[in-house]
Amino acid sequence: VQLQASGGGLVQAGGSLKLSCAASGGGFRGYVMGWFRQAPGKEREFVAGISRSGGRTYYLDSVKGRFTCSRDNAQNTVYLQMNSLRPEDTAVYYCAAGLALNDYVSSESTRYRDWGLGTQVTVSS
């Protein structure tokens, strides 16, 4: 599946952004979806993940209560609503798709096969 992330930008601390990731190529509803981010000089880290139906979501501890991951299988799109943004949330955000046994949502990047190009999120203090 091909993925295209959008919605990044520059926002002040405390603000909000909503990222979208549109999938093409078919079979979207068969993929577990994840959001990852990578800040300069740091390793890529898992931010959020969602099961195939959207019934289960998982988050990095530092974003729990602030970020919400959702998906619309009819629109082949996964979203990441980010509220109360902090300067430490600044990173390139990537969406990824994985074919997981038993609909398991992993936080490991190696479990995801297809990746979008990423969208920059910058939070100013």
Side-chain angles (χ1 to χ4, degrees):
V1 63
Q2 293 79 47
L3 303 173
Q4 179 64 57
S6 61
L10 173 64
V11 64
Q12 289 188 330
S16 298
L17 284 173
K18 186 174 184 177
L19 305 184
S20 299
C21 176
S24 59
F28 176 74
R29 63 182 66 242
Y31 290 88
V32 165
M33 298 299 296
W35 286 98
F36 292 77
R37 67 186 181 188
Q38 188 166 19
K42 295 187 177 181
E43 293 187 354
R44 188 171 297 188
E45 67 177 351
F46 173 83
V47 176
I50 190 166
S51 62
R52 291 192 292 254
S53 69
R56 289 180 289 112
T57 52
Y58 302 88
Y59 298 95
L60 179 68
D61 282 348
S62 64
V63 308
K64 285 180 181 177
R66 300 189 298 122
F67 290 12
T68 302
C69 183
S70 62
R71 67 190 293 166
D72 184 341
N73 285 343
Q75 297 295 323
N76 295 336
T77 303
V78 62
Y79 304 97
L80 186 65
Q81 176 67 49
M82 305 185 296
N83 298 329
S84 302
L85 282 161
R86 305 167 180 169
E88 53 264 39
D89 294 319
T90 294
V92 177
Y93 283 72
Y94 300 87
C95 59
L99 289 170
L101 290 175
N102 299 321
D103 205 19
Y104 175 67
V105 180
S106 176
S107 62
E108 299 179 22
S109 61
T110 55
R111 297 282 187 161
Y112 294 82
R113 186 188 71 178
D114 301 318
W115 292 77
L117 290 179
T119 184
Q120 175 72 47
V121 172
T122 303
V123 185
S124 63
S125 57

